[in-house]
Amino acid sequence: MKLYCLSGHPTLPCNVLKFKSTTIMLDCGLDMTSTLNFLPLPLVQSPRLSNLPGWSLKDGNAFLDKELKECSGHVFVDSVPEFCLPETELIDLSTVDVILISNYHCMMALPYITEHTGFTGTVYATEPTVQIGRLLMEELVNFIERVPKAQSASLWKNKDIQRLLPSPLKDAVEVSTWRRCYTMQEVNSALSKIQLVGYSQKIELFGAVQVTPLSSGYALGSSNWIIQSHYEKVSYVSGSSLLTTHPQPMDQASLKNSDVLVLTGLTQIPTANPDGMVGEFCSNLALTVRNGGNVLVPCYPSGVIYDLLECLYQYIDSAGLSNIPFYFISPVANSSLEFSQIFAEWLCHNKQTKVYLPEPPFPHAELIQTNKLRHYPSIHGDFSNDFRQPCVVFTGHPSLRFGDVVHFMELWGKSSLNTVIFTEPDFSYLEALAPYQPLAMKCIYCPIDTRLNFIQVSKLLKEVQPLHVVCPEQYTQPPPAQSHRMDLMIDCQPPAMSYRRAEVLALPFKRLFEKIEIMPEDIPDCKVLKPLLSGSIPVEQFVQTLEKHGFSDVKVEDTAKGHIVLLQEAETLIQIEEDSTHIICDNDEMLRVRLRDLVLKFLQKF
Amino acid sequence: MPEIRVTPLGAGQDVGRSCILVSIGGKNVMLDCGMHMGFNDDRRFPDFSYITRNGRLTDFLDCVIISHFHLDHCGALPYFSEMVGYDGPIYMTHPTQAICPILLEDYRKIAVDKKGEANFFTSQMIKDCMKKVVAVHLHQTVQVDDELEIKAYYAGHVLGAAMFQIKVGSESVVYTGDYNMTPDRHLGAAWIDKCRPNLLITESTYATTIRDSKRCRERDFLKKVHETVERGGKVLIPVFALGRAQELCILLETFWERVNLKAPIYFSTGLTEKANHYYKLFITWTNQKIRKTFVQRNMFEFKHIKAFDRAFADNPGPMVVFATPGMLHAGQSLQIFRKWAGNEKNMVIMPGYCVQGTVGHKILSGQRKLEMEGRQVLEVKMQVEYMSFSAHADAKGIMQLVGQAEPESVLLVHGEAKKMEFLKQKIEQEFRLLPSAKKPRLLHGTLIMKDSSFQLVSSEQALKELGLAEHQLRFTCRVHLHDSRKEQETAARVYSHLKSVLKDHCVQHLPDGSVTVESILIQAAAHSEDPGTKVLLVSWTYQDEELGSYLTSLLKKGLPQAPS
């Protein structure tokens, strides 16, 4: 059993498990941090961005100045942003039988895999995962396609040139494999290969392996997976949460008795408490608005935003913010808000109870009804008529490299009254802000990551007791910035096996048993229920064995073809030849069976 | 052969109070717990004394499964759990769990408040009963206990309707509840995988009907409504609040929009708006088209259909009213019917099946003078139309489901006896060659691993492939017999004895005097010292050990006395 590790990103995993005769891809995460190396795509012509100076080598050579621009000491690629794909060379991806998706954030590389590698298998995911995943992809494609960029830079990727560049461009990995965004057509084709599954549904793969999604508590429809045969069990834990937010709680019990537990998707901010962050988010938001400033919240169109809106729903009246407009701008804003209301079965108990009344499970329905929250597909159109300041804007993309957020950064960045609050943990906020420097607006970092922290993980591992734990290498040592925090790593016995991008791990268990089913027509003609024997009896050892078992009067006579062993008292004679043994004795069943078993010890059975 | 026992406590050969007891692999499961609309006495609920005379329900039943929210499938639930007393788990889907208590409350109100029945279940009982419910997802394998597992499949029919597979070990039963094999305007078609249950328990409401195309029925329906409205008549459509109502609302809504009609459409109060809310929130249970477009346009937000007020019934001019309940046995639909029945311009359209004993059933069977409460006679002059919009599978659909699931046997319930007989023959004709189920059996062979491939071969083949010689292990046992006759005679006696005892084996007496049983050789020899004793040498190989060992023990007992 082997694990091929195609992604080095601990929260955007992509691993391939070879188990029995099946090849199973676990998640299909797309590392978008690569886009931080690119200049933002402005929705409206931005003189500041287009007038950034070109970058030249130390010796003054400026042949890269069309491709690379400099902003406040950082160098950016002036080109359509590109993403870092999972490894495609480590294993022939056309041999992948199935892809299991654990949550909508971990499927963003799907079109690259299903459309361009010869993949012919099936993808399994829950309905909310697919629907919201589709929205995330739609938004991404829309963000990139609506601002066509003529320029496509490739010179800088040349290995000899790349090493002359300043960090972080110099250290960027696998730049030659970076790809542009997929098209909507590819998205549709990829999504058409998905088969919907429900929690605790048992799915048979070729009669060899059974896979089952379990609730992971992190997002709508998010799942962990059990991959098991009759005698072995692998648990794949990816993006799980024990906090009570909107999704159905995590199913921990079913993870018990695993031979191997693959652990990915832990919190990216292990030192931050999500509840505290939400509080800070609200108070900073209120403070800014009260002072007449605007608040910008770069976010994904689904997920934590539901919880933030719910907090604000309870908060705005008491904080005196009822007259402040909240805008949610995304090409999929409406869909996301609507979809969130129809997945009753995937929600936590409290929200389910509301649906039974019947009331919408999320209070943002009421925010919309009372006009406190308004949503728009983009800043163009209706929004420009309705736009009032001061206001709060939720919009994407959290990388600040594309989407409507770019416009608001340009618009509000110059005033210190305004605040940008980072809640999504996927991107370093300092790097995200780099192309906008110098900035006057306030920047607040309130990352909300509800995934498991290390305390919860060690509790979980104690509870479910897997024989072996496999995890990304980042989890086996403290974070580089906090190297003294020995508590910020996985601590288990035996120590977790770690993997890094492009590694192949041999998983530490041997398969001892196999259960097979045979159709009647395939049964070979072998009705004999006693096995055939083969081998020969070494006389000396046989005699020793007899003596050890209490036959004291053993005599051996040589014959032409072999030997005769005599047991005088028992009046027994055993003829031993190369290919046969003949036991001649009185009708004493006990004696016969004892002798038989001693003889059989020396023979192989077929 | 596994023993699966099925006892219908209701809806065996009739429609109403569905309740079927299934015993499988030592587990007892109750499928549905419905009431009968045609009765107001004891017969309206299933007869639970069948179980309770032997003990408590909770001790006997491992679980209860409710297939969907129609009262003939869940109407007796609070009576069963709170009044008779059951504390075990009750399984149903999320939409059923949401909607069921509302219909139960509605039913209770009509029974207690309107008809003044005493000793009926209370609102609190409905609440307590619903606390025992465990909601299931489609296709989720629910482990009721270590051995019993159940799994729900989509059934169409109404929002949240499900078919259930009940499995204990390798034995399984599928219960369909009510289902529909053709997608309609708001629901998808029932679907099940090739799960090959030992038994398929299927409803057979429309066992003999092969319904004409849906499009034709819809056109007919719209034409009749349109004509009546045009001539200034009123149309009454008795429906259940949830189910067909939404289907017909969507149909009329689109028609009104297309033809630009102005006559008002009403939906009887109370449940309506709530009902449509449920459809909006559980949109994932509707058909593909509605699910796809719900963000742009929610099909359950109607423009032309308004809430009905009791006073509207007397308004002049045409109108269309959807009113509950569907079989005209009580409530608002019956009130409106009484008001409008006398006018031949009006029309009542019965869009579904009516149980015997209800007003609906009476007028459908042609009765035009109805005896109402208080000896009043109501003359029905309005037109009475029947349009089958019930979302049940027709004969073709039932056959289709049987084909999908490939059961070993089929049990028809929830239908009329005569019609079932017809369908039974059809199923027998078409599925005569049902595949035999997988049964475990023992075989001996050798698994050869070569490179990474496996091959199962006979032992002989295995030895040959591995280039090994067989080692023969042979036993010869001496059995002493008291017999002073000659060896040949002893052998002959042995032969005739074995021949008579071992009827299933091939026993032979060879010319050299020895006797064989299959491949076991028996020879008689003289004893070296005692002429009154003969020695039988019984010889066999390891592979025949059982028979050989049996023969020696048999011969040891001696031979029967030869007739002298």
Side-chain angles (χ1 to χ4, degrees):
Chain A
M1 191 169 80
K2 281 187 173 154
L3 190 71
Y4 297 74
C5 311
L6 311 186
S7 158
H9 197 300
T11 35
L12 297 167
C14 181
N15 295 315
V16 173
L17 178 71
K18 284 209 171 194
F19 181 30
K20 292 184 78 176
S21 46
T22 57
T23 306
I24 302 171
M25 181 180 276
L26 305 170
D27 276 331
C28 213
L30 182 63
D31 186 352
M32 296 200 229
T33 51
S34 57
T35 60
L36 292 173
N37 295 298
F38 292 77
L39 272 190
L41 293 178
L43 271 178
V44 189
Q45 171 74 12
S46 158
R48 186 187 70 86
L49 285 172
S50 43
N51 291 332
L52 285 177
W55 179 82
S56 49
L57 291 170
K58 277 193 197 108
D59 59 7
N61 193 334
F63 72 105
L64 281 168
D65 69 347
K66 286 267 185 311
E67 293 202 349
L68 302 179
K69 304 283 177 187
E70 203 168 342
C71 176
S72 303
H74 286 85
V75 177
F76 297 95
V77 182
D78 187 10
S79 169
V80 184
E82 293 178 338
F83 306 116
C84 179
L85 271 55
E87 225 33 70
T88 50
E89 303 294 321
L90 193 62
I91 181 171
D92 179 1
L93 292 175
S94 69
T95 62
V96 171
D97 298 310
V98 296
I99 303 179
L100 308 180
I101 304 291
S102 56
N103 63 67
Y104 45 77
H105 285 300
C106 291
M107 63 186 281
M108 296 299 279
L110 201 58
Y112 295 116
I113 304 294
T114 60
E115 305 311 298
H116 299 287
T117 63
F119 172 80
T120 54
T122 311
V123 185
Y124 291 99
T126 64
E127 182 164 10
T129 301
V130 178
Q131 298 295 4
I132 297 173
R134 175 196 296 277
L135 297 182
L136 292 182
M137 290 181 180
E138 240 179 83
E139 186 190 60
L140 189 66
V141 173
N142 185 293
F143 280 164
I144 304 236
E145 284 186 354
R146 73 181 169 182
V147 272
K149 189 149 184 148
Q151 169 133 343
S152 176
S154 56
L155 220 51
W156 71 276
K157 288 187 182 178
N158 185 311
K159 271 207 178 99
D160 294 328
I161 295 172
Q162 197 199 347
R163 64 190 165 82
L164 302 175
L165 304 179
S167 284
L169 276 179
K170 186 171 69 178
D171 311 317
V173 287
E174 311 272 348
V175 290
S176 59
T177 63
W178 288 11
R179 290 283 173 273
R180 290 187 180 200
C181 190
Y182 32 72
T183 64
M184 214 43 223
Q185 199 183 355
E186 288 166 320
V187 170
N188 287 329
S189 171
L191 295 182
S192 70
K193 297 178 171 103
I194 300 184
Q195 198 163 319
L196 299 183
V197 293
Y199 290 149
S200 305
Q201 179 177 346
K202 295 177 178 169
I203 304 137
E204 289 288 338
L205 302 183
F206 320 108
V209 178
Q210 194 182 58
V211 297
T212 310
L214 305 172
S215 177
S216 78
Y218 166 58
L220 271 176
S222 70
S223 11
N224 293 322
W225 290 84
I226 301 286
I227 302 132
Q228 61 189 339
S229 64
H230 290 287
Y231 300 101
E232 299 92 11
K233 175 168 171 180
V234 179
S235 293
Y236 174 55
V237 173
S238 164
S240 300
S241 176
L242 292 170
L243 294 183
T244 319
T245 55
H246 57 272
Q248 215 182 87
M250 177 181 180
D251 176 353
Q252 298 182 64
S254 307
L255 299 172
K256 280 185 183 162
N257 305 321
S258 306
D259 295 286
V260 171
L261 186 138
V262 181
L263 182 62
T264 66
L266 304 183
T267 176
Q268 303 188 71
I269 323 287
T271 48
N273 165 13
D275 284 333
M277 288 295 142
V278 172
E280 224 168 283
F281 168 81
C282 288
S283 57
N284 277 297
L285 182 143
L287 191 69
T288 306
V289 178
R290 272 195 217 113
N291 291 332
N294 300 295
V295 176
L296 178 62
V297 188
C299 64
Y300 293 113
S302 176
V304 174
I305 185 171
Y306 303 143
D307 298 315
L308 289 179
L309 289 174
E310 185 154 0
C311 285
L312 289 171
Y313 168 80
Q314 290 154 1
Y315 183 73
I316 45 182
D317 287 330
S318 64
L321 302 176
S322 358
N323 295 320
I324 302 297
F326 287 76
Y327 300 116
F328 176 17
I329 302 170
S330 158
V332 298
N334 186 24
S335 299
S336 164
L337 293 171
E338 290 286 339
F339 269 113
S340 67
Q341 307 284 22
I342 66 159
F343 293 123
E345 293 153 274
W346 309 86
L347 293 172
C348 63
H349 182 74
N350 272 348
K351 295 222 173 308
Q352 264 179 17
T353 323
K354 286 188 95 178
V355 174
Y356 289 176
L357 289 177
E359 276 170 23
F362 285 97
H364 53 240
E366 199 184 317
L367 287 176
I368 296 168
Q369 220 169 29
T370 53
N371 245 337
K372 284 177 183 154
L373 173 68
R374 294 184 221 191
H375 53 83
Y376 303 89
S378 85
I379 54 164
H380 299 298
D382 290 345
F383 176 71
S384 36
N385 302 327
D386 301 348
F387 183 43
R388 276 192 298 121
Q389 302 189 70
C391 64
V392 179
V393 169
F394 293 88
T395 190
H397 186 272
S399 65
L400 305 191
R401 291 303 179 271
F402 37 81
D404 301 86
V405 74
V406 176
H407 177 75
F408 289 99
M409 282 306 294
E410 293 286 320
L411 185 72
W412 290 342
K414 293 167 219 91
S415 164
S416 60
L417 279 179
N418 302 326
T419 307
V420 54
I421 310 182
F422 292 88
T423 56
E424 302 287 356
D426 286 357
F427 301 91
S428 141
Y429 80 108
L430 289 174
E431 282 182 52
L433 288 170
Y436 299 95
Q437 297 293 0
L439 267 178
M441 89 193 292
K442 278 199 289 290
C443 305
I444 307 286
Y445 184 52
C446 301
I448 298 168
D449 195 331
T450 58
R451 286 172 280 207
L452 298 176
N453 61 35
F454 290 100
I455 300 169
Q456 292 165 330
V457 163
S458 65
K459 231 180 116 192
L460 175 75
L461 292 179
K462 270 196 199 110
E463 185 107 1
V464 305
Q465 302 222 321
L467 289 184
H468 300 279
V469 175
V470 177
C471 67
E473 62 171 352
Q474 289 91 332
Y475 296 159
T476 56
Q477 60 217 26
Q482 292 145 299
S483 53
H484 62 287
R485 292 287 299 267
M486 298 305 285
D487 56 327
L488 300 184
M489 56 183 276
I490 290 179
D491 177 26
C492 65
Q493 278 309 325
M497 294 180 71
S498 71
Y499 68 81
R500 62 172 76 177
R501 188 179 168 108
E503 246 181 11
V504 182
L505 290 191
L507 295 184
F509 73 77
K510 283 221 165 81
R511 291 181 38 226
L512 295 175
F513 301 101
E514 181 59 291
K515 182 172 170 178
I516 54 170
E517 274 180 27
I518 302 168
M519 297 306 284
E521 51 274 23
D522 297 334
I523 293 178
D525 189 27
C526 40
K527 277 171 215 138
V528 187
L529 284 176
K530 283 276 179 200
L532 293 183
L533 305 170
S534 180
S536 57
I537 311 260
V539 175
E540 269 177 43
Q541 284 175 28
F542 181 60
V543 170
Q544 283 168 16
T545 312
L546 282 174
E547 283 169 347
K548 219 193 280 170
H549 283 82
F551 296 98
S552 52
D553 54 348
V554 185
K555 263 194 181 170
V556 181
E557 287 172 13
D558 289 351
T559 65
K561 285 181 175 176
H563 310 272
I564 289 178
V565 176
L566 283 166
L567 307 174
Q568 286 170 318
E569 196 189 330
E571 288 188 52
T572 297
L573 187 146
I574 305 169
Q575 291 176 346
I576 298 178
E577 289 176 12
E578 179 68 26
D579 282 335
S580 71
T581 301
H582 192 169
I583 300 174
I584 301 159
C585 61
D586 268 341
N587 186 14
D588 177 349
E589 189 67 4
M590 286 253 288
L591 172 70
R592 188 187 69 80
V593 169
R594 262 174 84 199
L595 292 173
R596 178 198 69 189
D597 291 342
L598 293 178
V599 168
L600 287 178
K601 274 190 184 172
F602 294 93
L603 298 172
Q604 285 177 290
K605 292 180 188 174
F606 285 89
Chain B
M1 200 47 207
E3 195 190 58
I4 296 175
R5 256 184 316 155
V6 181
T7 316
L9 300 185
Q13 295 194 334
D14 113 57
V15 175
R17 60 166 188 183
S18 283
C19 186
I20 292 165
L21 216 53
V22 171
S23 302
I24 170 173
K27 302 282 168 184
N28 298 307
V29 178
M30 193 163 97
L31 304 167
D32 279 335
C33 188
M35 49 81 75
H36 200 295
M37 318 260 186
F39 300 117
N40 280 326
D41 50 25
D42 283 350
R43 287 172 298 172
R44 80 178 141 207
F45 292 144
D47 182 10
F48 299 116
S49 67
Y50 179 84
I51 305 171
T52 50
R53 66 177 172 227
N54 296 319
R56 292 176 60 229
L57 289 173
T58 316
D59 299 335
F60 180 75
L61 290 172
D62 292 282
C63 75
V64 174
I65 295 172
I66 301 295
S67 64
H68 64 285
F69 61 64
H70 276 156
L71 289 174
D72 57 331
H73 292 260
C74 70
L77 203 53
Y79 168 76
F80 161 81
S81 75
E82 305 311 307
M83 297 175 79
V84 185
Y86 169 75
D87 296 319
I90 302 169
Y91 293 95
M92 54 178 83
T93 65
H94 285 266
T96 308
Q97 190 190 356
I99 296 166
C100 183
I102 294 174
L103 295 185
L104 286 170
E105 180 58 32
D106 201 50
Y107 170 45
R108 191 196 69 80
K109 267 193 201 143
I110 290 179
V112 177
D113 299 352
K114 296 243 167 79
K115 293 187 190 156
E117 286 188 48
N119 203 17
F120 207 75
F121 54 76
T122 63
S123 296
Q124 189 55 44
M125 286 178 183
I126 298 176
K127 282 188 192 126
D128 293 340
C129 164
M130 293 312 289
K131 280 182 196 144
K132 296 169 186 169
V133 172
V134 182
V136 301
H137 285 255
L138 279 185
H139 302 164
Q140 174 190 7
T141 305
V142 180
Q143 214 71 46
V144 176
D145 59 33
D146 286 347
E147 292 155 349
L148 173 62
E149 63 181 46
I150 61 172
K151 180 176 176 182
Y153 292 92
Y154 190 79
H157 188 62
V158 288
L159 195 73
M163 308 189 275
F164 280 88
Q165 182 190 42
I166 300 107
K167 204 170 158 190
V168 179
S170 60
E171 295 166 28
S172 67
V173 171
V174 168
Y175 172 62
T176 65
D178 293 355
Y179 64 102
N180 186 10
M181 291 300 283
T182 44
D184 58 26
R185 272 163 201 273
H186 81 290
L187 294 172
W191 177 86
I192 195 162
D193 53 17
K194 191 178 289 185
C195 55
R196 295 187 169 172
N198 299 92
L199 176 65
L200 173 75
I201 305 175
T202 171
E203 65 132 326
S204 52
T205 322
Y206 289 113
T208 52
T209 332
I210 302 232
R211 282 176 296 169
D212 43 354
S213 90
K214 216 181 66 181
R215 212 167 270 277
C216 284
R217 261 178 293 144
E218 289 178 355
R219 213 172 28 233
D220 263 14
F221 170 78
L222 292 171
K223 201 173 135 217
K224 276 174 187 152
V225 172
H226 193 185
E227 281 170 4
T228 311
V229 171
E230 286 285 273
R231 64 168 182 261
K234 296 176 167 62
V235 182
L236 171 65
I237 308 170
V239 286
F240 289 109
L242 293 121
R244 289 308 84 194
Q246 279 68 29
E247 177 78 5
L248 294 173
C249 282
I250 293 176
L251 188 62
L252 278 192
E253 168 97 359
T254 23
F255 183 71
W256 248 237
E257 197 142 301
R258 186 155 54 85
V259 187
N260 198 16
L261 288 174
K262 291 283 176 284
I265 308 176
Y266 297 114
F267 202 122
S268 74
T269 42
L271 282 173
T272 336
E273 243 170 293
K274 240 183 174 183
N276 288 341
H277 256 302
Y278 282 116
Y279 278 85
K280 280 187 228 164
L281 293 172
F282 284 111
I283 212 126
T284 53
W285 284 80
T286 59
N287 70 26
Q288 195 103 38
K289 196 181 152 203
I290 291 188
R291 264 162 37 199
K292 246 189 177 152
T293 56
F294 91 102
V295 176
Q296 289 79 45
R297 183 171 174 209
N298 197 317
M299 286 300 271
F300 300 102
E301 270 161 26
F302 301 114
K303 273 190 238 156
H304 297 273
I305 302 170
K306 311 229 156 46
F308 182 73
D309 186 294
R310 192 180 293 207
F312 294 173
D314 299 320
N315 283 1
M319 68 174 81
V320 179
V321 175
F322 289 96
T324 56
M327 298 185 191
L328 282 181
H329 57 281
Q332 201 157 33
S333 62
L334 187 59
Q335 281 171 19
I336 301 173
F337 174 75
R338 289 167 86 160
K339 274 197 177 144
W340 293 357
N343 189 336
E344 61 275 0
K345 269 207 290 193
N346 298 340
M347 176 182 283
V348 58
I349 300 181
M350 307 297 300
Y353 184 89
C354 286
V355 163
Q356 231 168 18
T358 59
V359 172
H361 188 267
K362 285 178 194 155
I363 59 170
L364 278 183
S365 50
Q367 218 172 311
R368 286 298 174 262
K369 285 204 170 113
L370 302 172
E371 203 170 309
M372 306 306 277
E373 292 145 43
R375 300 231 170 151
Q376 260 182 314
V377 173
L378 181 70
E379 197 169 342
V380 181
K381 289 190 185 149
M382 79 197 297
Q383 295 175 54
V384 178
E385 293 288 344
Y386 172 71
M387 305 237 103
S388 158
F389 276 99
S390 285
H392 291 276
D394 61 5
K396 206 169 110 200
I398 296 171
M399 303 293 279
Q400 223 176 323
L401 188 85
V402 174
Q404 270 182 17
E406 288 193 2
E408 256 174 47
S409 357
V410 177
L411 177 70
L412 301 177
V413 296
H414 198 281
E416 288 161 37
K418 254 195 219 149
K419 296 182 178 175
M420 285 182 181
E421 191 54 42
F422 169 83
L423 186 64
K424 172 178 179 252
Q425 283 169 10
K426 257 196 96 169
I427 293 175
E428 279 171 354
Q429 265 168 26
E430 198 151 321
F431 297 102
R432 219 173 310 151
L433 296 169
L434 284 174
S436 67
K438 290 177 247 173
K439 277 186 208 126
R441 70 178 87 160
L442 208 57
L443 77 93
H444 181 91
T446 303
L447 194 64
I448 297 185
M449 283 193 271
K450 225 188 243 170
D451 301 325
S452 63
S453 75
F454 292 83
Q455 205 186 356
L456 181 67
V457 295
S458 64
S459 302
E460 289 88 347
Q461 183 74 15
L463 286 178
K464 211 190 274 171
E465 293 215 0
L466 296 170
L468 295 174
E470 191 194 336
H471 186 106
Q472 231 193 36
L473 176 58
R474 180 167 271 282
F475 304 96
T476 300
C477 276
R478 294 182 290 260
V479 181
H480 297 263
L481 275 184
H482 290 289
D483 193 349
S484 46
R485 273 167 270 208
K486 282 187 178 166
E487 292 95 69
Q488 288 92 329
E489 282 172 54
T490 311
R493 285 181 66 203
V494 167
Y495 170 71
S496 59
H497 174 53
L498 293 181
K499 184 89 184 164
S500 69
V501 175
L502 304 170
K503 295 227 160 59
D504 294 338
H505 292 274
C506 172
V507 184
Q508 282 177 305
H509 196 176
L510 300 183
D512 68 354
S514 55
V515 176
T516 62
V517 180
E518 307 289 353
S519 63
I520 291 156
L521 186 72
I522 303 168
Q523 283 168 318
H527 195 274
S528 50
E529 289 150 25
D530 179 5
T533 300
K534 293 287 168 299
V535 179
L536 292 178
L537 293 169
V538 186
S539 177
W540 69 90
T541 64
Y542 174 60
Q543 282 71 30
D544 290 319
E545 190 174 34
E546 260 162 57
L547 185 58
S549 150
Y550 171 68
L551 279 181
T552 51
S553 62
L554 187 71
L555 291 172
K556 203 177 174 183
K557 289 179 195 152
L559 298 175
Q561 281 304 312
S564 46

